[in-house]
Amino acid sequence: MTALENREPAAGSAADTLLRVDDLHVSFKGRGRARKVRAVNGVSFELGRSETVGLVGESGSGKSTVGRAIMRLIPADSGRVQLDGRELLSLGRSELRAARKDVQMVFQDPYSSMNPAMVVADVIGEPLDVQAGMGRSERNTRVAELLEAVGLSQRHIERYPYEFSGGQRQRIAIARALANHPKVVILDEAVSALDVSTQNQIINLLEDLQAETGVSMLFIAHDLAVVRHIARRTVVIYLGQVMEVGPSERIFEHPAHPYAEALLSAVPVPNPEIQRRRERVVLRGEPPDPTNLPLGCPFVTRCRYAMDVCADTMPELTPVDGGGLVACHLQTAGPNLAGRSLDALGVEAEPIVPPTR
Amino acid sequence: MADRADVAVPTGPEVWRRHAQDHRVEQSLDESSAPLSARARFLRRFLQQRPAIGALTFLVLIVLAALFAPLLAPYDPDQNDIRNLLSGPSGDHWLGTDHLGRDTLSRMLYGARVSLLAAVQAVSIALVLGVVPGLLAGFFGRWVDVVIMRATETIMTFPPLLLAIAIVAVRGPGLFNAMLAVGVVFAPRFARLVRGLVLGVREETFIEASRSIGTPAHRILRRHVLPNILSPLVVQISLALGFAMLAEAALSFLGLGVRPPEASWGALLQVAYNNINRNSFQAIPPGVAIMLCVLAFNLLGDGIRDSLGKEIRRGT
Amino acid sequence: MSEPPLLEVTDLDVDFATDHGWERVVNHVSFTVDRGETLGLVGESGSGKSVTCMALTALIPMPPGRVAGGSVRLEGRELIGMPAAELEQVRGAEVANIFQEPMTSLNPAFTVGEQIAEMVRRHKGLSRRAARGRAVEMLDRVGIPNASRRAEEYPHQFSGGMRQRVMIAMAVSCEPKLLIADEPTTALDVTIQAQVLDLLRDMQAELGMSVVFITHDLGVVAHSCDHVVVLYGGRVMEEAPIDELYFRPAHPYTEGLLTAMPQIGPRAGRLASIPGSTPVPSSLPAGCVFNPRCPYVVERCREGEIPLVEVGPGHRSRCVRVSELNLVGTS
Amino acid sequence: MSKVIGRRLLLTIPLLFFVSLIVFALAQLVPGDPAVTIAGEQATAARIEEIREKLGINDSTLVQYGRLVGGLVQGDLGTSLYSEQKVTDALFTALPITLSLAGLALLFVIVVGIPFGLLAGTRPGSLLDRILTAVAALGVAAPGYWVGILLIIVFGLGLGWFPTGLYVPFGESPTRWLYHLILPAFALSLAGIVEVTRQLRSSMRDAMTADYVRTARAKGLRQRTVVLKHALKNAAVPLVTVLGLQVNVLLGGAIALELVFGFSGVGALAVRAVQNRDIPVIQGIVLLSVVVVSLSNLLVDLAYGWLNPKVRAQ
């Protein structure tokens, strides 16, 4: 029985599922004598047609690893990734090459993600050469079309990447990703390296492109405000595990997981008055060593509501009022919140020191 | 203020949204000049490197002198002149003569052929023996990498000149054997360089981006890896040519390279050294020639490196 | 204003040498920092905010940089042109710095304890032993568990957040009067950022320091600062007390930044943004440097040098249309 | 620390195995019959057979290799084909000369190269930097033995300040030992001085622009402390690499210089052995130099551990 079965469809899943990630596990061999680093530890979520899902987490949460594993740029230990019902993880080499047409990626660093020796026509044209086998003139027509679509002039077709600014390069990377009409685009911290106003331009562009082409987007980011804006649903992960998933509106207004609550509370609000008034939850300590995770909930070492049960049992994903799922004992074994958000708890719980092992 | 507006100017988020919408496609790009290809950018930067230009000019002149040695040389390089043994520079013999009365200038010109050719030979051998294992080690990694790298480490434990001498000892003295030895000594250095470059390029996101498109491995190697390691390799080839000249000169000086009466600059130095008590001047021209050539290869290499774009300068 | 300000920067000009000669990256920047106050220095990348602060104690590399003019007074003493040996006594002891990258800002070859202790020995003249003790005490004060053991460890054995705590411990170890924090939390995760911001605030209260806080994040400014200077193209665009800036901005650029700030609150349609990109020092436009990106641009904006004018108590703006525009701030 | 040494020594075992194979291959690859070479073209068949027996060439390859390794383990490197002298004896006579020459040259490299590198690296673009860079460019291009010849011409034959040859053992007279070694050691060290200057210059330049140096300056440390403590310790990592490689280069360079100055060191021995195709001597010299180079590599690794805590942790 996998994590996603046996659950009402309304909870954490999309209406018309396009991409389904189920119980994904990815690990790396640690350096030297260090043990295995379990980067992704049973992550499941779904992405609907023409939907944008945000995947948020801090560094070391495994969010980028999820994206790369879906793309099969790194091997997964176990789990399933289905695109339109077709399993991606078991595809053979040539099938995989063909399937890569449907899932594309935009990377964080707009500078290293393009071969400096190629002109824009070749950068954007590469997927067309490789996948579509287009003739040169046909290809260049399509490249010009794509440039236009991402807000660049087709006069730039023979220019080199070094001539463009970071934001412009990211537009080129988006054009490259869209070249073969993919079904899904994975954006891995695609706007993190940009200034705020450039960031907004790119986000607006992505929304326009989604409206035009109906492409689905998995938006991986650490910036909560950006995810709040672009994603209809959000998946919050911590140390390779899903803590909470659900409609962005609900999560951002009434987080059900203590980690999501703390994460949101930590984001400074650009308003001095609110900033002075608001009570912040400042998490103590730092994430534990990823080679030596707690048996139970990975968040137990920093959680202010931690109970004894949290230390040795990982809670199941449980439905929450207002939509979505949360993996927290407060919802199941603890003071019964009956599927409500954390604000309902009302009491200021003292953090307990989890048993060390 | 005089022009103060009576009607309030609309302000706030809506204005900015509309403003951004109006300027959506206005992406500034410096279009004052035509786009330059990587090669054109390289050439433009290279032409600004005065020492490198000087070095290149010098090397071209030396190569021409070597090519046209029969036309330029005032005497037959092997012709003895018993009336002029170990003479100093004079109108007849601009650079004097050696102990057999042979004209030093003529021998220098013919020696340039030998020295240059030997350097090219040694570096070509080193490239053939080094680049392929380096590519394999860098691209395949795992045990291939381990084996190849261990082998290069072992070879590099030998002092280079000593290893060359040992190889000459086995194969017997002679220019080709000497250059083969120098090539073998150099090969592991090229192997390591190429491996490092390949590893560096492999880490780049653009390789990952290309893989994610579904680009087959051979195309990645051809379109992404090779173009990005070629330029740093050229830099090293230029430097290696200098070192090979030094190595040839050393082996010939020790009597393990070129066989008499053929001349190379190292062999000329040996003859000059043997007669140093009678005429010290003869030691100057071949030494200066070697030094200037090596210097030129080094300056050229530095110049090429400095002309490469920042983005492909890694690893050099 | 009975007491003179702690730091008084007047008309500071900083140039950098380029292929085309000297380029001005900081142009006539002036501001003051009062005792115990936190001043925010805000701007996008390339606005000159870091260079300004590094020029205060001559930390910019010279060459290629140079301070071309202006004055920096710390308690009335002029720092520009101060002899190097004297300036070394000011750095660390009176003006301390924290930098953005805690990873590269600590020396990888020495233990963190040694790196704090050497500074204490230098400025406080403590013995080797006493300085060690002080280093451990400081590490403990910034919340590093097992301080005496961790003092013996090297920077690579610390996480990003812990390294920034080490930097803070080091910076405040000689109880400076002024702390310059250059994007101290930009490289950190939000939950760690919150810890570090709180720590900085606690240390400031404890030691009564003044702080200059350099950041591009208006959320962090709202959390930490009393007074704000907005920089663009190496110039001061607006300067205001914190609430004034957020609720009554007097420069279109500030309005644009506030509008573009993505918010956690309910989603409000399309994101606003400032079109175009920040100018490079070599090709600044004539007139107001912001005019090519400004929605309120008129003919007057494109000519001459725009003066910085007083629009309220402690509130100044470099905009010719400031009296005509009723700019909207944060709601 | 002892752990590092132990692991290093363990790693040397496969290396020595490889080296013994290569050394063995040297002898096997010699074209023609070494017995004929030794006996001369006119020797009788019986005489040649006698020599073959003595050399053990008639045994199988495996037996021959076993004998080589067996000899190595007992410290026996065989006998010279030419002089009938034991190879170990020949090496031990020649080694002090070469070590004196290379050691003094290494000292020059360190005491001249490091200050030059520091001066050039901390004042990039200054007149001094430009002069040093120009001299360095020439120095790296000039063959050491040629510089040796020039020194003989100027200081020996011309000015008569220094002797132009003859090695005096240290035990006999330390001052005359030094006096006779100065010219060749200087000529030998030139390339190394240049290499160290260049390397230290560039790594100091990098270190001086590093963030941690900015931090050190922001802490109000004296410029001297910033340069000699914070920058130098980090810049020293590539410097140590270069110094380690110098051992290799100096041993090679010593060969020609010994010839120029008429020292009968290992280099001179090697050249003579090559001319005579005296394979056992060549084998011995190659093995000896590998041991010396491996020892210097060990020192380099230990230095890395001290300079770079990250390496130590692994």
Side-chain angles (χ1 to χ4, degrees), chain B residues 235-268:
Chain B
V235 174
Q236 287 306 312
I237 289 174
S238 181
L239 299 178
L241 281 170
F243 281 113
M245 283 198 87
L246 279 175
E248 183 279 328
L251 287 172
S252 291
F253 177 75
L254 295 174
L256 306 176
V258 66
R259 323 281 355 234
E262 208 182 341
S264 87
W265 293 341
L268 288 178

Side-chain angles (χ1 to χ4, degrees), chain D residues 31 36 57 101 128 131 134 142-143 162 165 170 180 209 265:
Chain D
V36 177
I57 306 177
L101 183 58
L128 179 78
I131 291 173
F162 291 96
F170 185 79
H180 283 251
T209 57

Side-chain angles (χ1 to χ4, degrees), chain A residues 14 47 52 66 78 88 108 123 184 199 235 268:
Chain A
L47 174 63
T52 302
V66 170
S78 66
L88 291 184
Q108 171 172 9
V123 171
V184 181
Q199 193 171 306
V235 182

